[in-house]
Amino acid sequence: MSLSAAGEEEQKICLVASPGFAVNYGVNYYRKAQQKLQQALPNYEVQLGIACDDQPGFALEAIAARVDRLYFLKSSSYWAKIDSLCHEAGIRLFDQEQLSCL
């Protein structure tokens, strides 16, 4: 939670798509779910996170879709490139192995 310019408390929710579901349904499906959740919870900022395992192609799709967060395996040989692309796009990158809810 953070404070907005008006001093009101701003709350954030992150919708995270697990790797299997994200690949099967695609980023656009979760973007629509994010929008519906945002409409249902107008007092919250709803962010979208995508978990990609070690699938660089899908990670590129998520980066191109400008998700808010990307979860990728830090142990992957593609980590450095994905990290660089996320940094350029302003996307927060996390080590998926440290995400306990998947």
Side-chain angles (χ1 to χ4, degrees), residues 21-78:
F21 287 108
V23 170
N24 288 335
Y25 289 97
V27 176
N28 287 333
Y29 173 85
Y30 287 98
R31 180 67 74 195
K32 289 176 187 174
Q34 175 195 21
Q35 291 168 350
K36 287 182 180 182
L37 190 56
Q38 184 66 68
Q39 290 172 351
L41 302 168
N43 295 330
Y44 292 82
E45 177 188 339
V46 179
Q47 296 182 342
L48 178 59
I50 299 290
C52 298
D53 282 336
D54 187 13
Q55 300 177 20
F58 187 61
L60 293 175
E61 181 182 335
I63 292 168
R66 300 274 186 196
V67 298
D68 300 295
R69 298 175 181 202
L70 187 69
Y71 298 86
F72 197 75
L73 296 178
K74 194 170 190 173
S75 59
S76 169
S77 60
Y78 298 102

Side-chain angles (χ1 to χ4, degrees), residues 1 8 29 35 42 54 78 83 86 97 99:
M1 288 185 244
E8 296 176 2
Y29 173 85
Q35 291 168 350
D54 187 13
Y78 298 102
D83 183 34
C86 283
E97 291 174 338
L99 187 62

